[in-house]
Amino acid sequence: MSAQSVPIPQTRGTTLDISSLPSDASSSSLWDRLSTWASENKTIVYSIAGVAVVVSGAGVLYYLNNSRAENQAEEKRRASKKERRRAKKEKEKEEIEKDAPPTKVEESGMVSRVEDSFIGLTKALSPESIKKQPTVEAEPAEELPKVDESTVDLFSDQERKEFATKLKIAGNKAYGDKSYNEAIELYGKAILCKPDPIFYSNRAACYNALGEWDRVVDDTTAAIALDSEYVKALNRRANAYEHLEKYSEALLDYTASCIIDSFRNDQSAQSVERLLKKVAEAKAKAILEGKEKKLPSPTFVTNYLQSFRPRPPPAGLEETAELDEGTGKGQLKIGLTAMSTRTGEGFESASASFDKALELGDLGEYEGFAYNMRGTFRYLRGENADALEDLSTSVKLQPSLTQSFIKRASMHLELGNREAAANDFEQAMEQNKEDPDIYYHRAQLHFILGEFAEAAKDYQKSIDLDRDFIFSHIQLGVTQYKMGSIASSMATFRRTIKNFDKVPDVYNYYGELLLDQQKYQEAIEKFDTAVEMEKQTKPLGMNVLPLINKALALFQWKQDFQEAEKLCQKALIIDPECDIAVATMAQLLLQQGKVTEALKYFERAAELSRTEAEIVNALSYAEATRTQLEVQEKYPQLASRLQGMGGGIGGPPIR
């Protein structure tokens, strides 16, 4: 995400079939609003938004750095040989620091370049000095002091200090000559004379060059014990931990380094991003292996199901039909009736009934429909392979059931197979080119891929074929907003409210657009209207998204944490499995510095996630939060500094 005003994003709700999102775009609009502000507030990103800040900040900076590099390259091509030589000389001067040598890994860009070198490197590298260098040394090199553990105590403090300096300089020269073992010995003697964090860090650089990662950890740990804010030692140790696959330890060190540098070191921030992803991916795989396949929250299931136009049950499966419950057809009827309750219990019952129907068999003309319904609930449970098989069987048995093609297209898109998704839509149109659901869901594909002009055309076609489906109107308004046509979008929503004044969803999503424009009072009024309508029309299966949106509005507008928390808690009472409510609570708690509580909610959000991409997203937040806790425990002075950078609790609004 770039640092810009964010149009209303995709919501895991009725306006966007979030279940069809590909792996790299699986976050909902509320997730997006929770983290978008981080790209504009880099220094406090880690304490508040975790990975989002790092990802966004690093991405922007990477672009800027590349642009700058390209410009510099063009200038160099135009420059004369003399000017290029002068520029090289100036660059070498800038990169030199007298304390310590650069490491191979730092030169490669894996961690921030350490600007250490040995004394006199600039002079030795300059063309003028090389030209004037005599073939024989005018004076012999100064003899190094002979120091070891048995003799070091014989010298005075002043002598040991002088010896340490000479040995360090000699070690720097040996390092520059790539005589790493010699440099290790010289730095070791310098340490005997004077335990200094720079000497330990320099010796760690030698071990780094030799790939002896455990020794790098030992020496950098000694350096950090002497200077807890030694950034170069922290970066070296983090790099060593990463090579040892101790990713959590590496993440902690890179985080501490970023805080000390006030998040000015772009490569360290990118390292935090990389480590967060590695840690989250490793844990996500473990979670998926042991994860029970179950339906997501009723809010999610309802919003997915109602992204298709409501249709009556197939003839013969109506609620009034007299069918034996012990037959496949009877179980299909039971499943359809249970679905209509829009409750968690009802959805679980429906899923079981569709499974039972196919087990019992003898479904006749309803067999294709049965595979469609079982495939739908398998998909919602995250059983993707089985769901694809069911939907493929459905289209073979009943090609005219275009909904099976559409659902399979959504699955292909989520799996990153855009071509297969497009092919499914084509096959659906061959069966019935006048089916408005085809155009609505194909528009979703375009929307997700950022092809907003094409999406708007398909949404309009869906409306032309059936003006009574509210979500085509809502999503058209959202798409116009994404295209920057704010006036057209607002007009679409006002017209939709006039035509669907008793439907809560239109007020909720119109409120989201108003919230994005910071029209807080108007937005809250729309959310309140949606909440009241939900209570009246769906008391047992209330959509909790308006409650969550109102919580965010109150936080952004008035920093009213208490009321925002109450609304989220209310949403979780109604729908305990709603991952968006859980994630919002986590962010609100983190904003208040309640890190331990926030961590529990982030971990809960990971448990509730359906796909690996969603789990990784939630775990990235959790790991960022966990690392903040570790920073507070291990580096209390950094924790207070981080809060200071963030301006306290009243930081930027969650967006």
Side-chain angles (χ1 to χ4, degrees), residues 450-499:
E451 299 165 354
F452 300 122
E454 294 301 314
K457 290 179 184 177
D458 273 347
Y459 287 130
Q460 186 60 58
K461 178 67 174 179
S462 177
I463 292 170
D464 292 342
L465 290 171
D466 176 14
R467 306 193 68 84
D468 294 333
F469 186 60
I470 187 173
F471 300 113
S472 294
H473 298 272
I474 290 175
Q475 195 65 27
L476 175 62
V478 171
T479 303
Q480 291 168 333
Y481 194 92
K482 293 281 282 185
M483 295 171 69
S485 302
I486 309 301
S488 297
S489 174
M490 295 295 102
T492 296
F493 267 95
R494 286 192 293 271
R495 185 168 57 250
T496 305
I497 287 177
K498 181 179 179 180
N499 295 330

Side-chain angles (χ1 to χ4, degrees), residues 19-40:
S19 61
S20 65
L21 282 169
S23 60
D24 61 345
S26 59
S27 301
S28 68
S29 71
L30 294 180
W31 265 109
D32 290 341
R33 281 203 305 284
L34 290 172
S35 58
T36 298
W37 66 265
S39 64
E40 301 172 358

Side-chain angles (χ1 to χ4, degrees), residues 376-417:
T376 299
F377 279 86
R378 281 181 165 181
Y379 168 64
L380 289 168
R381 283 199 299 267
E383 299 170 353
N384 291 342
D386 291 337
L388 270 176
E389 184 178 346
D390 277 352
L391 292 172
S392 296
T393 302
S394 176
V395 298
K396 289 177 183 177
L397 292 170
Q398 190 178 347
S400 61
L401 187 58
T402 55
Q403 194 181 94
S404 295
F405 285 109
I406 296 170
K407 290 176 179 177
R408 193 172 68 174
S410 294
M411 289 199 64
H412 283 312
L413 185 58
E414 182 174 303
L415 295 171
N417 193 341

Side-chain angles (χ1 to χ4, degrees), residues 163-181:
F163 290 172
T165 300
K166 292 179 180 179
L167 289 162
K168 181 201 73 170
I169 293 171
N172 288 350
K173 187 177 187 310
Y175 182 91
D177 294 337
K178 298 186 178 180
S179 300
Y180 301 121
N181 288 317

